[in-house]
């Protein structure tokens, strides 16, 4: 098993669980012990591989698509047109939509390039937006101007700077 991939899957599992504001113990209780906290924690740390049927049941439990629980595929096309989230902090790389409506497209795979605290913070925030949109399960997310202002606040910069 590729350990880095298992860790990436674990990161996705953790991000979705945290976006749902659930602890490992809460998942165990709410799932009537189908998902034991210790086993789910091992999945999230990348110490144990999750089977496809179990991944499907976990996705159903969280109310998300299986795709949202898996890391993005690697490849050059993946981040070609996306902004660099590091640019949000210093004003570089922000690209608005073709209509000039102030929307910004973010490649969620680029979160890994951020420092741990920014990655976790933005991962949870953007994960929450994805979950609220029910079905925006890809690796690219388009956020609204008010979301960009919130991100700027999280990164301790101005909306204009972001």
């Amino acid at each position: 098993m590729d350990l880095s991939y298992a860790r990436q899957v674990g990161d996705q599992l953790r991000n979705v669980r945290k976006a749902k504001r659930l602890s490992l113990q809460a998942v165990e209780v709410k799932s009537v012990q189908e998902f034991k906290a210790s086993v789910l924690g091992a999945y999230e740390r990348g110490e144990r591989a999750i089977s496809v049927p179990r991944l499907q049941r976990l996705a159903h439990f969280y109310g998300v698509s299986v795709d949202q629980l898996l890391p993005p595929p690697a490849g050059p096309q993946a981040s070609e047109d996306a902004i660099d989230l590091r640019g949000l902090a210093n004003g570089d790389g922000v690209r608005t939509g073709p209509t000039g409506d102030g929307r910004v497209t973010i490649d969620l795979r680029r979160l890994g390039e951020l420092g741990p605290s920014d990655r976790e913070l933005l991962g949870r925030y953007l994960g929450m937006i994805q979950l609220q949109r029910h079905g925006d399960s890809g690796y690219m997310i388009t956020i609204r101007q008010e979301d960009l202002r919130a991100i700027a606040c999280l990164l301790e910069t101005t909306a204009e700077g972001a």
Side-chain angles (χ1 to χ4, degrees):
M1 175 176 71
D2 181 356
L3 291 178
S4 66
Y5 186 77
R7 283 190 204 105
Q8 290 173 13
V9 170
D11 287 344
Q12 291 293 108
L13 295 174
R14 183 179 302 106
N15 288 339
V16 170
R17 177 179 56 77
K18 286 185 173 187
K20 294 287 189 173
R21 297 189 183 273
L22 293 169
S23 67
L24 291 170
Q25 291 76 21
V27 171
E28 182 173 333
V29 169
K30 288 184 178 212
S31 71
V32 192
Q33 298 189 350
E34 179 180 3
F35 301 104
K36 300 272 189 195
S38 60
V39 175
L40 191 53
Y43 294 149
E44 290 183 3
R45 290 186 300 275
E47 296 170 355
R48 187 170 176 171
I50 187 169
S51 69
V52 172
R54 194 148 174 82
L55 187 69
Q56 289 174 319
R57 289 195 310 273
L58 187 59
H60 179 66
F61 174 80
Y62 286 143
V64 300
S65 69
V66 171
D67 191 45
Q68 284 180 274
L69 297 180
L70 295 174
Q77 184 63 32
S79 58
E80 210 169 76
D81 297 322
I83 66 166
D84 182 343
L85 280 177
R86 290 174 299 181
L88 288 173
N90 64 19
D92 296 333
V94 174
R95 199 168 51 83
T96 59
T99 60
D101 61 2
R103 292 177 183 235
V104 175
T105 301
I106 298 172
D107 183 343
L108 299 174
R109 294 169 285 206
R110 308 275 308 262
L111 286 174
E113 298 173 12
L114 296 170
S117 62
D118 285 345
R119 178 178 52 242
E120 183 176 345
L121 189 65
L122 285 174
R124 279 190 313 210
Y125 184 78
L126 295 172
M128 177 192 68
I129 291 171
Q130 263 192 326
L131 291 173
Q132 288 175 342
R133 292 186 184 171
H134 305 292
D136 186 356
S137 60
Y139 305 113
M140 303 293 279
I141 185 171
T142 299
I143 61 171
R144 300 175 182 106
Q145 193 64 39
E146 57 268 20
D147 298 323
L148 183 58
R149 283 192 295 271
I151 288 172
C153 183
L154 291 171
L155 294 172
E156 298 176 341
T157 187
T158 64
E160 293 77 26

